[in-house]
C-alpha cells in the first residue's frame, strides 16, 4: 500500500507545521478553544462532517466512506496541555506562559488530523464510517467522560475505537501494545482525623491525630503488601499529611491525601472498602473522629484482545514484526481513554518517540518522525476490515 505512504508524504510538511502550531499554543483542560477551532477547520477543509462543543471543547468528525456498507469505527486523540513552563528553546516553543504540551497531545491531535485528511482523500476505498473523536481534558479531569456523557458512542455505535499515545524511549515509529490491562486506575482520597488537641506536654489530655495518622499510613500500606495478591498490583500512596502549625501544640486535625492505582475494577472497590474500614478503626482506637472521602478517577484501561490483535497485525504488516513490541507488564499510569474502553471494544497502543525527554517534563517535545508512522497506522486500521 505504497499509495498510503505517498499520500502521507504529500501532507507531511503541513502536518509538521500543524504540530508546531499546536505546540506553540498549548491550552489546558477544557480550555482547548483555539485547538478545537484548528481541528474543526482542518476537518471541514477535507469535507468531513464536524460537530464542536462536545463535552465543552471536544470535536467529533464523521467521514462517510463511499465503498459501500461497512462498520463504524472510531479513533480518539486528546488535545489538552499541562501546567508546566516549557524549558525547550525551540522556534515553536510555547507562547502561553506556564502551559506546555508536555504529554505529546499536540502530536496525537496532529496524527489523527493527518489520518482524517488521508482517509478523506481516498473515501472511495472507505467502507462504512470513520469517526474522529478529539477529546478535551485528558489530564486529570476526564474530558473523555464529558464527551461520552453527550452520547457520542450511542449516536453512531462504533465496532471498535483505537487510540495511541507517544512513548519516550521506545524507538521512533515502533509500536508497543498489550492485550488486557495496559494502564491503571487513578483514584484519589482525603482522610481527616479529628479530636481534642491540646498542650504538647500533656498528650494524655488530648487525642493526638498525628500519632494516629502515622499509624494509619503504615496500616494502609498493608492493603497493598498483605491483602492484595502480588499478581494483582495495588499502589497506595499517601502524598500529603498536614497537621499542626507549631512546636508545643497538638493539633485537632490531621489531613491526609493520596492516590490509589489498580489494574482491576474489583480490586479498586476492595481497596476503597478496606481504606474506609481502616480509617474508622484507627480513629476509634485513638478516640478520634475519622472521615474518609474517596474520589472516583479514571478506571483501569483494559485493551480488548481482538482489537489489540488487529492493531498488532496491521502494525506488523506496515512496519514488520521487528517494529512491534508486546509489553510484558502494564504501566501504573492512567489514561481516560479507559472510559471509551469500558463502553466499546477498544485498544490503545504506544507509539515510539525515540530519544526524547520523558512525559510531563519541561524538556519534552513530541518527535515529528513519529507523525508519519502514526498516521499510517490509523489509516491502515480504518481501511482494513475483518
Ligand atoms: Zn499526560
Ligand atoms: Zn497523555
Amino acid at each position: 500500500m505504497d499509495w498510503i505512504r505517498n499520500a502521507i508524504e504529500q501532507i507531511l510538511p503541513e502536518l509538521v507545521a500543524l504540530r508546531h502550531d499546536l505546540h506553540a499554543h498549548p491550552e489546558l483542560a477544557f480550555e482547548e478553544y483555539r485547538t478545537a477551532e484548528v481541528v474543526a477547520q482542518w476537518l471541514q477543509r477535507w469535507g468531513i462532517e464536524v460537530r464542536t462543543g462536545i463535552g465543552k471543547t471536544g470535536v467529533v468528525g464523521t467521514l462517510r466512506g463511499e465503498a459501500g456498507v461497512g462498520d463504524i469505527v472510531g479513533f480518539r486523540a486528546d488535545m489538552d496541555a499541562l501546567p508546566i513552563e516549557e524549558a525547550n528553546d525551540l522556534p515553536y516553543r510555547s507562547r502561553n506562559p506556564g502551559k506546555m504540551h508536555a504529554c505529546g497531545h499536540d502530536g496525537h491531535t496532529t496524527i489523527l488530523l493527518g489520518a482524517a485528511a488521508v482517509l478523506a482523500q481516498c473515501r472511495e476505498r472507505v467502507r462504512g464510517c470513520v469517526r474522529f473523536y478529539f477529546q478535551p481534558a485528558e489530564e486529570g479531569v476526564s474530558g473523555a467522560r464529558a464527551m461520552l456523557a453527550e452520547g457520542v458512542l450511542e449516536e453512531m455505535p462504533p465496532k471498535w475505537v483505537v487510540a495511541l499515545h507517544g512513548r519516550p524511549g521506545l524507538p521512533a515509529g515502533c509500536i508497543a501494545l498489550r492485550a488486557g490491562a495496559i494502564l491503571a486506575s487513578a483514584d484519589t482520597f482525603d482522610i481527616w482525623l479529628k479530636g481534642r488537641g491540646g498542650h504538647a506536654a500533656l498528650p494524655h489530655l488530648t487525642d493526638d491525630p498525628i500519632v494516629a495518622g502515622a499509624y494509619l499510613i503504615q496500616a494502609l500500606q498493608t492493603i497493598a503488601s498483605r491483602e492484595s495478591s502480588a499478581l494483582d498490583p495495588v499502589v497506595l500512596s499517601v502524598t500529603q499529611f498536614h497537621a499542626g502549625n507549631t512546636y508545643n501544640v497538638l493539633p485537632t486535625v490531621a489531613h491526609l491525601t493520596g492516590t490509589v492505582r489498580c489494574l482491576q475494577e474489583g480490586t479498586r472497590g476492595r481497596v476503597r472498602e478496606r481504606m474506609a474500614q481502616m480509617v474508622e478503626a484507627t480513629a476509634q482506637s485513638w478516640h478520634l473522629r475519622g472521615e474518609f472521602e474517596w474520589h472516583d478517577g479514571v478506571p483501569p484501561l483494559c485493551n480488548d484482545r481482538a482489537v489489540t490483535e488487529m492493531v498488532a497485525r496491521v502494525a506488523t504488516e506496515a512496519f514488520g514484526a521487528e517494529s512491534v513490541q508486546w509489553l510484558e507488564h502494564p504501566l501504573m499510569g492512567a489514561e481516560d481513554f479507559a472510559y471509551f474502553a469500558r463502553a466499546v471494544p477498544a485498544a490503545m497502543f504506544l507509539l515510539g518517540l525515540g530519544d526524547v525527554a520523558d512525559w510531563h517534563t519541561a524538556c519534552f517535545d513530541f518527535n515529528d518522525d513519529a507523525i508519519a508512522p502514526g498516521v499510517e497506522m490509523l489509516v491502515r486500521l480504518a481501511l482494513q476490515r475483518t
Side-chain angles (χ1 to χ4, degrees), residues 19-264:
R19 211 279 291 174
H20 295 179
D21 176 66
L22 294 174
H23 189 91
H25 300 94
E27 294 171 302
L28 299 183
F30 290 126
E31 295 173 1
E32 308 90 338
Y33 295 105
R34 181 187 183 278
T35 309
E37 183 70 33
V38 169
V39 166
Q41 279 178 8
W42 176 276
L43 294 175
Q44 274 155 359
R45 173 180 149 197
W46 295 100
I48 292 168
E49 290 172 39
V50 179
R51 276 175 53 219
T52 57
I54 316 286
K56 196 164 183 193
T57 41
V59 181
V60 178
T62 307
L63 174 72
R64 293 178 198 278
E66 293 171 358
V69 181
D71 297 316
I72 300 163
V73 299
F75 297 100
R76 170 280 207 173
D78 39 12
M79 303 189 289
D80 57 320
L82 283 157
I84 294 175
E85 180 72 29
E86 179 159 15
N88 293 315
D89 183 19
L90 297 162
Y92 53 90
R93 98 183 272 283
S94 170
R95 291 184 199 160
N96 298 343
K99 300 175 188 176
M100 176 190 173
H101 270 297
C103 201
H105 300 182
D106 51 343
H108 306 165
T109 298
T110 301
I111 287 171
L112 189 50
L113 288 172
V118 172
L119 290 166
Q121 290 174 73
C122 68
R123 62 179 81 210
E124 73 285 352
R125 297 177 193 255
V126 177
R127 276 191 283 140
C129 273
V130 186
R131 298 267 281 171
F132 306 96
Y133 311 107
F134 292 89
Q135 77 153 79
E138 192 287 317
E139 299 287 357
V141 281
S142 193
R145 195 172 44 187
M147 262 188 121
L148 298 192
E150 296 202 22
V152 296
L153 294 179
E154 289 84 355
E155 68 193 12
M156 289 181 73
K159 186 178 180 200
W160 47 254
V161 179
V162 166
L164 64 83
H165 203 298
R167 173 71 159 146
L170 185 68
C174 270
I175 306 293
L177 73 182
R178 182 172 205 283
I182 182 165
L183 284 157
S185 57
D187 302 309
T188 55
F189 59 83
D190 281 87
I191 294 166
W192 291 269
L193 296 171
K194 299 182 178 174
R196 293 175 301 162
H199 202 297
L202 304 166
H204 59 291
L205 300 180
T206 74
D207 309 309
D208 180 357
I210 293 182
V211 167
Y215 270 93
L216 179 59
I217 292 169
Q218 301 290 328
L220 292 174
Q221 290 312 311
T222 65
I223 298 176
S225 67
R226 303 290 83 188
E227 297 190 5
S228 304
S229 160
L231 302 176
D232 179 19
V234 172
V235 176
L236 192 163
S237 291
V238 174
T239 55
Q240 300 183 73
F241 185 166
H242 299 290
N245 56 5
T246 187
Y247 293 97
N248 56 356
V249 177
L250 290 170
T252 55
V253 185
H255 179 202
L256 292 75
T257 75
T259 182
V260 174
R261 312 293 171 111
C262 301
L263 293 175
Q264 295 191 47

